[in-house]
Amino acid sequence: MWKGVISAITTPFNADLTIDHGALADHCRWLADHGVVGIVPVGSLGESSTLSHAEKRQVLETCVGAVGERVPVLPRISALGTPEAIAMAKHARAVGCRGLMVTPPYDHGNDWREIRAHVSAVMGATDLPCMLYNHRPPHRVEFRPEHIAELAAEFPHLEALKEPVIDTSRIGAIRDLLGPRLEIVVCVEDTVVEAVRAGASGWIACLVNAFPAESVALYRYAQERRERETSELYRWFAPLLRMDTLPKFVQLIKLTQERVGRGASRVRPPRLPLEGDELREALAVIENALATRPKLTL
């Protein structure tokens, strides 16, 4: 379940900024058609901070209804309070999600005793396979290798770790301590090839929302050590992949989807649509990518 390209998905909105559930279901099916091995809704790319608890529940139901029999739906479980996170984890299981991406409570400090209590309470409330989210920059929390080992020993259904892998040496450090106990899944777009070469087993991708075939091909080429194809596709893809590393990554990825005919660029406040130089620069990158889009080989 944690091997291959897993799509973190955007949340499509109608003109009045309500959730467009028809577009959401269609998008999930389209991604499954193009070879993703999992769907992660209500993450940061999905603008979860602007969604109510009820809306998050509805998103999970729509995603499972669209692709639940084909690929697993693996929602991000994240909340300011532990009871809300537990409630979301239980709802995810009830509606047919097949795994969870468990995160620290956002907007919280880096106190291991408190963070451990939170993620332990969430994982202890479910028997679904779990992936621990160790994305340090936004959460200001670091699960050190010894922390990860402690949780893995307590929770057999903790199966994977999501790492930002800006520094690919972390993969080696985790493998040295845990061996093959956990799958390591990476999430920083413009280091994915280096991470796969370092031993990552999966990729939670974002530009896959607009370019699923290219994302699946890049991961496959890197895994199979097809150096020429990897280098050529990575060179083409890199300017797009860097969008995921920028503060306005949600607007940038939704704009890219819009330009390839796979959604609208609408975002919920406090985010606002791109304009001025930001918009012009983003469109130049996207249009150049479309003009030079490579042919893929099997």
Side-chain angles (χ1 to χ4, degrees), residues 177-232:
L177 189 60
L178 288 167
R181 167 66 180 83
L182 296 178
E183 302 291 353
I184 296 179
V185 181
V186 297
C187 61
V188 176
E189 302 276 272
D190 63 346
T191 61
V192 61
V193 170
E194 294 83 354
V196 170
R197 288 169 176 164
S201 55
W203 174 24
I204 294 189
C206 294
L207 268 298
V208 68
N209 284 277
F211 294 101
E214 289 81 0
S215 298
V216 170
L218 181 62
Y219 176 82
R220 184 176 71 246
Y221 294 166
Q223 268 216 322
E224 296 173 357
R225 299 297 194 268
R226 293 162 62 173
E227 300 299 337
R228 181 182 60 80
E229 291 104 320
T230 301
S231 178
E232 290 175 358

Side-chain angles (χ1 to χ4, degrees), residues 18 22 54 57 92 104-105 110 119 149 161 173 192 198 203 208 221 244 252 262 268 294:
T18 56
R57 288 171 174 248
N110 190 6
V119 298
L161 173 71
V192 61
W203 174 24
V208 68
Y221 294 166
D244 182 52
L252 289 163
R262 293 305 310 178
R268 274 186 177 176

Side-chain angles (χ1 to χ4, degrees), residues 4 8 52 59-60 63 104 118 126 132 138 147 156 173 175 177 192 206 209 212 217 230-231 235 254 259 271 281:
S52 69
V59 167
L60 302 195
C63 293
H118 175 85
T126 184
L132 188 65
H147 295 158
R175 287 279 185 239
L177 189 60
V192 61
C206 294
N209 284 277
T230 301
S231 178
R235 191 180 307 115
K254 280 192 160 184
R259 300 302 290 182
R271 290 184 177 89
E281 290 168 9

